[in-house]
Amino acid sequence: NYINKIWNASRFVIMNLEGFEYSDIDLSGEKTLADKYILTKLAKTIEDFERLFEKYEFGEASRILYNFVWEEFCSWYIEIAKISLNGEDEAAKNTTKSILVYVLDASLKMLHPFMPFVTEEIYGQISEGTIVTAEYPVVRPEFENEEAAAGVEALKDVIRSVRNSRAEVNVAPSKPITILIKTSDSKLDAFFNDNVNYIKRFTNP
């Protein structure tokens, strides 16, 4: 269920923070396409969540928030983050760790009204103090990149299509397959070639 999903995602983040403190968060480093995507999605979520919460539209606010945490952060970004975390580039690792903690921190603060005990428990493992008095997340326009977000959405469409095709013909995810991506958009074609590592990571071609 949802609580287990956020709990397991939080455990993954915390287990990968060896030697990394909350105060070490540094978002000034070079960011990957996935980094730009999740920061853009987070900014949009904070903006929409605040607007709906102020209008007392709690149901819609929680839906948008849950979708971001479940779909964008837990299901996609954490999986993509493993590429950097398992690599040899220490600068990239630190940037990824910073973004993981930054996004988890903001998500917990927004989730707190809906699941106070769970969020307080997790927050205490990544930061000092209590989430009740912590500074509320703010939109950081300098981190928004709509082009990167749109690009990742296109990659997600390809990955979903491959996964659906596997399921339709009963081919196991572990079995390598040949993938042919054809598009009449030259820019999109170049984009897929430039980011083929993401496609390989999730489709096992």
Side-chain angles (χ1 to χ4, degrees):
N1 62 25
Y2 189 83
I3 292 179
N4 286 336
K5 184 88 167 182
I6 186 64
W7 181 264
N8 290 335
S10 302
R11 296 311 305 162
F12 170 83
V13 174
I14 293 166
M15 286 189 298
N16 281 278
L17 296 183
E18 183 177 357
F20 189 93
E21 302 292 336
Y22 186 87
S23 57
D24 294 331
I25 293 177
D26 181 4
L27 302 178
S28 64
E30 184 176 353
K31 299 174 184 63
T32 66
L33 175 74
D35 296 336
K36 296 172 184 177
Y37 139 80
I38 197 63
L39 290 174
T40 301
K41 292 290 186 177
L42 175 62
K44 178 64 173 172
T45 300
I46 294 173
E47 182 180 353
D48 289 344
F49 183 79
E50 285 185 342
R51 174 177 52 81
L52 292 166
F53 212 78
E54 289 174 358
K55 294 169 63 177
Y56 302 102
E57 296 182 19
F58 303 129
E60 184 63 12
S62 64
R63 186 193 67 78
I64 288 174
L65 177 57
Y66 287 2
N67 182 70
F68 168 76
V69 175
W70 182 292
E71 176 73 10
E72 310 296 351
F73 185 55
C74 296
S75 297
W76 287 100
Y77 183 71
I78 283 181
E79 288 302 313
I80 294 173
K82 293 176 182 177
I83 298 174
S84 296
L85 293 175
N86 295 328
E88 301 297 327
D89 189 331
E90 292 301 321
K93 284 184 182 180
N94 286 331
T95 296
T96 298
K97 290 178 181 180
S98 292
I99 293 174
L100 282 168
V101 177
Y102 177 75
V103 176
L104 177 59
D105 173 83
S107 299
L108 291 173
K109 290 171 180 175
M110 288 186 285
L111 283 167
H112 185 65
F114 305 101
M115 45 179 69
F117 300 109
V118 173
T119 51
E120 185 69 69
E121 173 66 23
I122 298 172
Y123 185 78
Q125 297 180 50
I126 65 171
S127 180
E128 296 180 356
T130 173
I131 197 171
V132 176
T133 58
E135 183 178 351
Y136 196 77
V138 296
V139 175
R140 300 281 295 273
E142 68 271 28
F143 294 143
E144 294 184 57
N145 189 315
E146 293 297 338
E147 184 176 353
V152 172
E153 291 298 337
L155 287 170
K156 287 162 64 177
D157 286 342
V158 170
I159 293 164
R160 288 194 188 99
S161 178
V162 173
R163 288 176 173 176
N164 290 339
S165 296
R166 280 182 177 275
E168 288 173 1
V169 295
N170 199 29
V171 175
S174 59
K175 184 177 182 179
I177 59 174
T178 299
I179 298 174
L180 176 63
I181 301 174
K182 188 174 182 180
T183 173
S184 59
D185 187 329
S186 59
K187 289 185 177 179
L188 189 59
D189 184 60
F191 174 81
F192 286 149
N193 283 318
D194 289 341
N195 295 281
V196 70
N197 59 316
Y198 292 115
I199 298 175
K200 289 181 177 180
R201 173 71 176 79
F202 288 98
T203 61
N204 190 29

